[in-house]
Amino acid sequence: MAQTRAQWLAAEPFSLALSAGFFGFFSHTGLLQALEARELMPQRVVGVSAGALAGGLWASGLTATEIAEELCALRRQDFWDPGLPLGGILRGRKFAAKLNALLDASVAQTFEGCRVSFAAVVHDVFARRSKVMDTGPLAVAIVASCTVPLMFRPVLHEGRVLVDGGVSDRTGLSALPKGKRVLMHYLPSRRRIGWGANDPVPSRVPDRPGLVLVTPELPKVSPFKLETGPVALQRTLEHAERWLDVAVDETGESLP
């Protein structure tokens, strides 16, 4: 039976996976706004790097519109605190302070207090593998997941050295149980690595029933091009609104 993607998502509980993608939290927030407008509430949110920032703030209780307002007001001086290189150009103190201020204004500051189940994926440097964080304070997990190697100094937590989860799991699959329905917002790597050497733009979620949304032609956003962030957010919002209305079959596959 034909149905739209929005109807497919509304029919049964689903998890939302927000991939890594440098300053892709603008784009992820656009998708969150589109989902909120349709009252499509995921049962679980998994975030990696930029996805952990947008997904974690949303799961903590902030609305997508509130997150968008904060991001669009972001300036480089809000997080730019260079120091002597000790594993990264930036100390990360300003970023952590800004994140804590946002979480203090939300409902939850811990995973346990989130309005929906949330998990952040980080990379354990010495274990050389991804690690799923889903208990305790949100801030330390989000900061660790966003700690881009060489840009930010590694995070030391419970005897482990943690950096950006995208190093080993750009998509968040390690935090998604098999068999569960998934909506994944995937930000392709500009280096064409991550999901697979020959498949930087996936069409489906491996081993899971689900949908993959890829926003085409996103502008590059960086600490030195923050003005393109609101453009990326709006482009994803508009693309997601159209994408949700596309007809699919019972498996989520697009109809001709």
Side-chain angles (χ1 to χ4, degrees):
M1 180 181 296
Q3 58 188 324
T4 65
R5 287 179 174 133
Q7 291 170 329
W8 189 90
L9 290 169
E12 296 180 35
F14 69 96
S15 294
L16 174 64
L18 303 175
S19 81
F22 202 37
F23 274 59
F25 36 76
F26 285 97
S27 182
H28 286 318
T29 302
L31 171 60
L32 289 169
Q33 284 188 308
L35 294 177
E36 276 191 350
R38 305 293 183 98
E39 298 184 348
L40 294 171
M41 176 75 78
Q43 183 181 57
R44 177 177 174 83
V45 177
V46 171
V48 188
S49 193
L53 179 60
L57 289 174
W58 185 83
S60 77
L62 294 176
T63 67
T65 297
E66 288 171 334
I67 298 170
E69 290 172 351
E70 289 290 341
L71 291 180
C72 291
L74 187 67
R75 298 295 178 264
R76 186 156 59 93
Q77 57 265 33
D78 294 335
F79 60 87
W80 199 258
D81 57 352
L84 293 175
L86 292 172
I89 298 172
L90 305 181
R91 294 184 179 93
R93 296 171 186 170
K94 279 191 172 183
F95 172 53
K98 179 68 173 178
L99 176 63
N100 275 298
L102 291 174
L103 289 172
D104 286 344
S106 69
V107 175
Q109 290 78 48
T110 65
F111 284 94
E112 292 79 4
C114 286
R115 57 178 168 176
V116 299
S117 172
F118 172 64
V121 178
V122 302
H123 178 75
D124 187 317
V125 173
F126 293 130
R128 294 189 294 180
R129 59 177 176 81
S130 61
K131 174 181 172 62
V132 178
M133 299 184 71
D134 56 8
T135 60
L138 283 169
V140 64
I142 295 173
V143 168
S145 188
C146 293
T147 299
V148 178
L150 302 182
M151 181 176 175
F152 288 106
R153 296 175 181 177
V155 171
L156 304 179
H157 179 64
E158 296 181 347
R160 313 304 298 178
V161 179
L162 308 176
V163 295
D164 191 319
V167 170
S168 50
D169 181 10
R170 293 194 74 249
T171 61
L173 284 177
S174 59
L176 292 169
K178 290 185 178 182
K180 299 296 184 180
R181 290 159 55 95
V182 176
L183 166 58
M184 178 176 290
H185 187 213
Y186 183 68
L187 303 175
S189 170
R190 293 182 181 272
R191 296 181 181 180
R192 299 184 67 82
I193 59 175
W195 182 284
N198 300 312
D199 185 18
V201 182
S203 60
R204 62 183 183 83
V205 187
D207 303 318
R208 295 155 178 85
L211 304 172
V212 177
L213 168 62
V214 179
T215 305
E217 299 181 357
L218 280 175
K220 182 178 180 180
V221 187
S222 76
F224 300 97
K225 297 187 78 172
L226 285 175
E227 69 277 5
T228 61
V231 178
L233 189 155
Q234 186 64 27
R235 188 163 297 176
T236 296
L237 170 59
E238 293 173 356
H239 176 68
E241 288 173 337
R242 296 189 298 269
W243 183 87
L244 286 168
D245 285 330
V246 171
V248 296
D249 62 21
E250 63 275 6
T251 68
E253 291 288 336
S254 300
L255 294 174

